[in-house]
Amino acid sequence: MPNDIPRSEVTPDLKYQNTSKSKGILLSNEIDRLCKADVLIRRTHYKPENLRPAAYTLTIGRDYVDSKGIFKRMKPSEKFFYMEPNSIVFVTTAEELNLPFYIVARFNLRVQWVYRGILLGTGPQVDPGFQGTLSCPLFNLTDRSMKISLGEPFATIDFEHTTDFFPNMNAEQLEYVRKRAESNEPDATFNNTTHLLFTQKPFKPLQKLPDHDVISSLAKMSDEVKTWRAIGVGTVLAFFGLTLTLLNSQNNLYQQLRTASERVVVMENDIKSMRANSNVTPVPQPSPSPTPKNSERREIR
């Protein structure tokens, strides 16, 4: 360990040495200064127009994992893809980061995307010393497909100074720390101070993606809902068909009962009429007077 080595004049290495005495979140001028020195964001990906007052706008990169869990890369002839309803995709940033060991970063989804119904899985912290491309999951919470285009602004990242990282290093101490970091050693120690070191092997796009397919449970839930919806619609249609059949049968039965009732009424009226006719008393006819006999006639004379 290089202790008690006299300091010599060296050009500061901004990856390891903080030349700014300020603390807190970096403003646009400091972000611009460090990016042009090839830290924070690599010069090859840095665009001053993406600066914000205290942040930088990240854009969609070529590599992504679609809603079915398949790794894909956008082509020059097709610089977009569609995010299915109620699904999850993984996207990468077009920008490559190179964080100093004294700056931490945090990124989150832009408000416009939230209004579209898309959410970032988390707003993760990016550790000091990180190198490589950022990847993150996006959730489509809507019932419609969302178009995602290459280079489209989707997130903002801000940077903040940490506590001191080996302040006032001389040339040999700086070389010691640099070699420890570039050799992917877990830490560096001198002057009774130890700092953990982030691996300096650059992260590739979607490097931490698991081996198994990552498919949103929302998509499965959507499929199940569609299935049950189809079953429900079929059940409702069957119910209406049965109801109409029953109503039709009831109507026919009602008509038959009504016809039978009318016939019963007619028959009852006929019976009453017949009874009325059978109970009529005949009018008595006067009997003829008897003719008197001859003997009776003589006596009368």
Side-chain angles (χ1 to χ4, degrees):
M1 292 179 294
N3 292 326
D4 303 325
I5 299 175
R7 287 190 295 170
S8 59
E9 294 297 327
V10 294
T11 302
D13 186 337
L14 295 180
K15 176 74 177 184
Y16 304 93
Q17 295 176 297
N18 183 11
T19 59
S20 173
K21 300 302 180 181
S22 60
K23 295 293 183 181
I25 295 177
L26 275 61
L27 296 179
S28 58
N29 64 321
E30 188 69 3
I31 295 173
D32 181 69
R33 181 180 75 87
L34 292 175
C35 288
K36 289 178 179 178
D38 205 36
V39 292
L40 290 188
I41 298 172
R42 293 288 190 186
R43 279 193 298 257
T44 52
H45 301 92
Y46 173 65
K47 296 180 179 179
E49 59 267 26
N50 286 344
L51 276 174
R52 299 174 64 83
Y56 186 87
T57 299
L58 299 175
T59 58
I60 295 290
R62 292 186 179 277
D63 299 300
Y64 68 98
V65 174
D66 66 11
S67 302
K68 297 180 180 179
I70 301 174
F71 181 91
K72 292 184 177 180
R73 174 170 291 179
M74 282 184 266
K75 303 175 182 178
S77 59
E78 189 175 358
K79 298 181 179 181
F80 63 90
F81 69 93
Y82 283 96
M83 186 178 182
E84 297 300 323
N86 301 312
S87 68
I88 178 175
V89 300
F90 286 83
V91 297
T92 59
T93 60
E95 294 76 19
E96 183 179 344
L97 270 61
N98 181 28
L99 293 185
F101 281 93
Y102 51 87
I103 287 180
V104 65
R106 299 180 186 87
F107 72 100
N108 216 327
L109 200 64
R110 299 187 71 187
V111 175
Q112 291 92 329
W113 285 60
V114 177
Y115 289 158
R116 291 169 59 185
I118 298 177
L119 294 181
L120 182 67
T122 171
Q125 173 179 295
V126 186
D127 284 337
F130 174 87
Q131 288 192 83
T133 303
L134 296 174
S135 304
C136 63
L138 297 178
F139 295 93
N140 182 1
L141 302 181
T142 71
D143 59 354
R144 62 185 185 277
S145 297
M146 294 289 184
K147 184 179 181 181
I148 297 179
S149 301
L150 179 66
E152 184 177 3
F154 80 103
T156 56
I157 186 169
D158 58 69
F159 309 94
E160 185 173 4
H161 283 112
T162 64
T163 54
D164 292 335
F165 177 79
F166 294 132
N168 304 318
M169 286 189 289
N170 59 37
E172 194 163 348
Q173 290 170 338
L174 174 61
E175 185 63 22
Y176 159 75
V177 174
R178 183 187 291 114
K179 286 183 177 180
R180 296 284 293 180
E182 292 177 353
S183 300
N184 292 318
E185 298 293 339
D187 56 38
T189 302
F190 63 82
N191 291 340
N192 298 321
T193 301
T194 299
H195 287 292
L196 299 179
L197 302 176
F198 198 92
T199 176
Q200 290 305 284
K201 186 177 181 180
F203 268 61
K204 297 179 181 179
L206 303 166
Q207 179 173 319
K208 292 295 184 179
L209 193 71
D211 295 333
H212 60 274
D213 292 339
V214 180
I215 301 176
S216 173
S217 59
L218 291 175
K220 293 184 178 180
M221 186 184 300
S222 176
D223 292 338
E224 292 177 359
V225 168
K226 289 178 181 177
T227 301
W228 283 107
R229 185 182 296 170
I231 294 173
V233 169
T235 303
V236 170
L237 292 176
F239 174 77
F240 275 114
L242 179 60
T243 302
L244 291 175
T245 301
L246 292 175
L247 289 174
N248 188 45
S249 299
Q250 183 181 6
N251 184 54
N252 293 335
L253 181 60
Y254 173 76
Q255 293 293 338
Q256 293 175 5
L257 290 175
R258 183 175 179 182
T259 302
S261 178
E262 291 176 351
R263 290 179 179 178
V264 169
V265 171
V266 171
M267 292 176 67
E268 288 180 348
N269 292 334
D270 290 344
I271 292 171
K272 289 180 180 179
S273 178
M274 293 173 64
R275 286 180 178 176
N277 293 333
S278 65
N279 291 332
V280 175
T281 304
V283 179
Q285 298 295 328
S287 58
S289 300
T291 303
K293 297 180 179 179
N294 292 332
S295 60
E296 290 178 353
R297 288 177 181 174
R298 289 192 194 107
E299 291 179 356
I300 293 170
R301 285 181 181 175

